[in-house]
């Protein structure tokens, strides 16, 4: 029984996904540098847009996972209360 409880509690954090927001692209304040590095900066923006979309998907998946976990925990709590109130 203790082994099952240990596995149940130790497995839960591994199920949660860590969603990390991408860093904002840097744009130099001076026009000359912006023009000189335009290709790199443009690429940084395109990568940011791609990565922020992945970040939003990750957040949505994590929200759905956490919601399901909360539902399961609520059911478990109801069963627990039923056991201890007998």
């Amino acid at each position: 029984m203790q082994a099952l409880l240990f596995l149940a509690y130790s497995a839960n954090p591994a199920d949660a996904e860590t969603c990390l927001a991408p860093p904002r692209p840097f744009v130099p304040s001076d026009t000359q540098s912006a023009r000189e590095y335009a290709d790199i900066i443009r690429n940084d923006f395109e990568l940011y847009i791609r990565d922020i979309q992945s970040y939003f998907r990750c957040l949505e998946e994590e929200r759905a996972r956490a919601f399901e976990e909360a539902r399961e925990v609520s059911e478990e709590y109801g069963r627990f209360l039923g056991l201890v109130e007998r």
Side-chain angles (χ1 to χ4, degrees):
M1 182 65 170
Q2 287 177 335
L4 288 176
L5 288 174
F6 175 75
L7 286 174
Y9 286 111
S10 65
N12 285 340
D15 292 341
E17 186 168 351
T18 301
C19 302
L20 298 175
R24 292 176 68 127
F26 171 75
V27 178
S29 57
D30 67 287
T31 306
Q32 180 59 34
S33 293
R35 286 186 180 137
E36 188 174 336
Y37 297 105
D39 290 339
I40 294 170
I41 295 167
R42 188 176 294 111
N43 187 56
D44 286 350
F45 273 97
E46 290 171 4
L47 289 174
Y48 175 84
I49 291 167
R50 182 201 65 196
D51 292 347
I52 199 72
Q53 291 172 344
S54 294
Y55 174 66
F56 289 147
R57 281 190 295 275
C58 178
L59 290 175
E60 180 58 29
E61 290 168 5
E62 178 55 17
R63 185 206 62 79
R65 185 210 61 79
F67 187 83
E68 178 62 22
E69 180 181 276
R71 186 192 62 74
E72 292 170 358
V73 168
S74 294
E75 290 175 0
E76 289 172 9
Y77 185 52
R79 287 190 296 272
F80 165 76
L81 290 177
L83 289 172
V84 298
E85 293 175 357
R86 286 186 188 172

